[in-house]
């Protein structure tokens, strides 16, 4: 949802749709997108809407999308974006990490903690202390003071394939992986899997609602709600239209 209340919807095969004031407008390659395979939609502080696609990055100019190209930065396969508090835009791709600041794209592949082109960078989060966290297919990466630290199953994660990161009111991190959900607090991981009642282990999305309840969307098993240590599952049997839950949003009424 953008700041004007419009809903932007990305698909794997049909590009971007915008639902605004009850009307739907569709955007494909004819309206500037590098590809109709959409991986991430993001609105920055200035109000610009960005679309990360399988074939590149584009930004919306109010009418159409304008492709962004830079010979010095790999912008294909954009799957995650985040603007930090300093105004730097972090862009995660299939195999690299790119910064956009002061009108320039900077490829960080040579300084990042993981081997070149061997990972997907699918989640980016800046915590309340300013530390940057990156979810990749090879583990969780922490960047603090220019130094990188990698957390994997060896440190307690249920899986090295990270898909989502959210922070709670206590400063703990909830991490969605393809092996379940993990909670990181005071340097320790606490894991929740199907063995604890989770609807499925392939976690694709997380949302902390206004009451502090964690909603967990899976790739193919449905939705779980974690409230006060208890897990309640929602699948097609409870009326869910489809058991692949890729994103969860909360509206102003708390729905």
């Amino acid at each position: 949802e953008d700041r004007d209340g419009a809903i932007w919807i990305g698909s794997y095969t049909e590009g971007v749709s915008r639902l605004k004031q009850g009307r739907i407008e569709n955007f494909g390659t004819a309206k500037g997108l590098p590809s109709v395979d959409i991986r991430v939609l993001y609105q920055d502080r200035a109000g610009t809407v960005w679309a990360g696609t399988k074939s590149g990055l584009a930004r919306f100019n109010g009418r159409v999308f304008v492709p962004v190209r830079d010979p010095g930065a790999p912008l294909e396969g954009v799957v995650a974006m985040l603007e930090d508090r300093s105004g730097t835009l972090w862009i995660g791709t299939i195999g690299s990490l790119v910064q956009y600041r002061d009108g320039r794209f900077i490829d960080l592949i040579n300084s990042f903690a993981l081997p070149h082109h061997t990972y997907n960078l699918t989640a980016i989060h800046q915590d309340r202390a300013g530390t940057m966290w990156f979810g990749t297919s090879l583990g969780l990466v922490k960047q603090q003071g220019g130094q990188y630290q990698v957390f994997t199953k060896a440190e307690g994660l249920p899986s090295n394939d990270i898909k989502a990161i959210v922070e709670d009111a206590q400063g703990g991190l909830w991490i969605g992986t393809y092996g379940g959900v993990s909670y990181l607090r005071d340097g320790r991981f606490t894991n929740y899997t199907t063995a604890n009642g989770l609807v499925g282990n392939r976690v694709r999305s997380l949302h902390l609602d206004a009451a502090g309840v964690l909603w967990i969307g899976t790739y193919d098993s449905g939705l779980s709600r974690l409230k006060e240590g208890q897990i309640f599952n929602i699948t097609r049997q409870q009326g869910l239209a489809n058991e692949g839950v890729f994103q969860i949003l909360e509206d102003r009424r708390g729905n």
Side-chain angles (χ1 to χ4, degrees), residues 81-82 84 88-91 98-99 108 124 132 134 143:
M81 299 183 72
L82 178 84
D84 68 19
T88 296
L89 192 64
W90 298 79
I91 303 163
V98 176
Q99 280 186 343
L108 300 180
I124 306 172
M132 299 297 301
F134 305 97
Q143 187 212 50

Side-chain angles (χ1 to χ4, degrees), residues 94-115:
I94 297 173
S96 191
L97 176 64
V98 176
Q99 280 186 343
Y100 178 68
R101 65 173 186 263
D102 301 325
R104 294 178 57 242
F105 289 93
I106 302 164
D107 185 8
L108 300 180
I109 192 167
N110 292 320
S111 61
F112 197 58
L114 296 174

Side-chain angles (χ1 to χ4, degrees), residues 19-231:
L19 173 61
K20 184 177 182 181
Q21 297 176 342
R23 296 182 58 191
I24 293 176
E25 184 176 4
N26 300 315
F27 301 88
T29 53
K31 292 187 178 180
L33 288 173
S35 166
V36 292
D37 187 341
I38 309 302
R39 304 302 174 90
V40 61
L41 292 165
Y42 187 78
Q43 185 175 37
D44 65 21
R45 199 170 306 170
T48 300
V49 172
W50 300 75
T53 81
K54 181 180 180 180
S55 302
L57 183 65
R59 55 185 149 199
F60 190 61
N61 68 4
R63 295 179 300 103
V64 296
F65 282 91
V66 179
V68 176
R69 296 183 177 89
D70 189 296
L75 292 173
E76 291 191 358
V78 175
V79 289
M81 299 183 72
L82 178 84
E83 185 178 19
D84 68 19
R85 293 180 201 130
S86 71
T88 296
L89 192 64
W90 298 79
I91 303 163
T93 76
I94 297 173
S96 191
L97 176 64
V98 176
Q99 280 186 343
Y100 178 68
R101 65 173 186 263
D102 301 325
R104 294 178 57 242
F105 289 93
I106 302 164
D107 185 8
L108 300 180
I109 192 167
N110 292 320
S111 61
F112 197 58
L114 296 174
H116 296 187
H117 301 298
T118 61
Y119 58 88
N120 296 343
L121 202 160
T122 49
I124 306 172
H125 176 75
Q126 185 178 35
D127 68 23
R128 62 186 62 190
T131 300
M132 299 297 301
W133 297 85
F134 305 97
T136 80
S137 55
L138 297 179
L140 178 69
V141 180
K142 175 183 179 181
Q143 187 212 50
Q144 188 176 36
Q147 301 296 313
Y148 291 96
Q149 183 178 3
V150 182
F151 300 90
T152 65
K153 289 176 70 174
E155 284 72 43
L157 281 168
S159 167
N160 292 340
D161 197 353
I162 314 296
K163 299 298 185 185
I165 306 168
V166 296
E167 185 175 5
D168 67 13
Q170 291 74 43
L173 293 182
W174 289 98
I175 302 149
T177 84
Y178 263 24
V181 174
S182 192
Y183 183 58
L184 175 60
R185 181 97 187 269
D186 299 326
R188 294 184 58 192
F189 292 98
T190 303
N191 299 327
Y192 299 82
T193 69
T194 52
N196 307 102
L198 203 65
V199 74
N201 284 336
R202 296 210 295 173
V203 176
R204 194 63 183 81
S205 56
L206 297 173
H207 176 71
L208 271 168
D209 68 20
V213 176
L214 182 69
W215 297 82
I216 304 157
T218 70
Y219 187 84
D220 51 3
S221 302
L223 179 69
S224 289
R225 182 189 67 186
L226 178 58
K227 181 179 181 181
E228 298 174 351
Q230 301 296 311
I231 294 174

